Amino acid sequence: MPQQPGARDVDRAAAEGSGRFRDDPPTAVRGEHTHGGPPPARPPVRRTSVRGQVLDALRAALLGGELRPGEVHSAPALGERFGVSATPVREAMQQLALEGAVEVVPNRGFRVVERGARERAELAEVRALLEAPVVLRLARTVPPGRWAELRPLAEATVRAASAGCRAAYAEADRAFHRAVLALAGNEQLVRIAEDLHRRAQWPAAGPPASRGGADLVADAHEHTALLDALIARDLDAVRTLVEEHFATPG
């Protein structure tokens, strides 16, 4: 999994209004190719989304506790921090508002949402009501070989948790759950569950990164244990593991 970009990773060229990224090839001059035959082969043009890079960086900052619940941040200030103009920051923040991570403060910017224990518990309950029955149904119908194919995703959550990178773990965690639910063949289910999962991952009010590395590692190992039970078709173990996995918010 690619590492979340930080401030240095955001392309300054786009921020300065050049309209080009550093990895873009030079633009051909009009009439430059005048000889017969096909034009010389060029490498494919790679367009990097500054908005996407900023969005990834902001997500990592939120999950890592650099942007704390209750704080208000303006797009220009964050743009200066990440070395870009205010526009991609504002666009990224609008997306984060849709994901429930921030809220718009008129004439000031964006406030990091202060999510309390009750809201986190409610999100965990809704996720359990949505995902648990699906997993139990799939446990009876999906062959062991299909479950075994998800082993790399489960192991990726363990590696990310062991490294202590909350942003990487959040991404790996969602990828694993997304792959499990995708076996149901219901795209709407996957989309709704993904949104709920991301909302549940945003930090709660209080000290940053309140869930320690040990909690993340334990949570990640539940993924591998669940796969073991699914491959063995141990429905009682699957039911117990699913209930435990959703018992802790976040």
Side-chain angles (χ1 to χ4, degrees):
M1 179 177 300
Q3 187 177 2
Q4 296 289 351
R8 292 192 302 271
D9 298 320
V10 180
D11 198 328
R12 293 180 180 274
E16 295 167 357
S18 66
R20 292 181 55 238
F21 300 94
R22 283 193 295 261
D23 58 352
D24 285 347
T27 303
V29 178
R30 185 175 181 85
E32 175 183 79
H33 180 72
T34 57
H35 302 288
R42 292 175 177 268
V45 176
R46 294 184 301 151
R47 293 292 183 183
T48 304
S49 169
V50 176
R51 172 188 174 277
Q53 292 185 55
V54 172
L55 181 58
D56 287 342
L58 287 171
R59 284 171 173 163
L62 286 163
L63 290 168
E66 297 174 45
L67 303 180
R68 300 181 60 176
E71 294 179 344
V72 177
H73 299 273
S74 69
L78 287 173
E80 182 177 355
R81 172 176 177 172
F82 291 114
V84 298
S85 68
T87 299
V89 175
R90 193 172 291 110
E91 292 173 349
M93 279 295 196
Q94 292 290 351
Q95 176 60 37
L96 289 172
L98 293 176
E99 296 174 3
V102 302
E103 56 189 7
V104 177
V105 181
N107 302 319
R108 292 186 63 193
F110 302 86
R111 178 186 290 113
V112 181
V113 170
E114 297 185 81
R115 180 164 288 111
R118 176 174 179 176
E119 183 178 355
R120 289 168 63 83
E122 290 175 348
L123 285 167
E125 181 181 9
V126 175
R127 286 190 63 210
L129 291 171
L130 183 67
E131 295 189 43
V134 176
V135 175
L136 292 173
R137 174 167 59 84
L138 293 174
R140 298 181 177 89
T141 58
V142 175
R146 293 295 303 280
W147 292 120
E149 294 174 0
L150 303 188
R151 180 75 64 183
L153 294 175
E155 293 175 347
T157 68
V158 175
R159 289 194 300 273
S162 300
C165 181
R166 296 182 61 83
Y169 177 75
E171 186 69 26
D173 186 26
R174 289 197 313 278
F176 175 78
H177 282 264
R178 185 167 58 244
V180 170
L181 295 179
L183 294 174
N186 188 324
E187 294 181 3
Q188 298 302 316
L189 167 68
V190 174
R191 185 176 295 110
I192 293 171
E194 172 91 357
D195 179 65
L196 288 170
H197 195 168
R198 191 185 290 278
R199 289 173 181 273
Q201 290 176 327
W202 296 126
S210 57
R211 292 189 68 195
D215 292 324
L216 293 183
V217 171
D219 191 67
H221 279 297
E222 289 178 0
H223 296 149
T224 56
L226 177 60
L227 274 187
D228 290 339
L230 288 166
I231 292 171
R233 288 187 176 276
D234 187 339
L235 298 183
D236 289 336
V238 170
R239 183 176 293 104
T240 299
L241 287 165
V242 168
E243 291 174 354
E244 292 177 351
H245 194 62
F246 290 109
T248 303

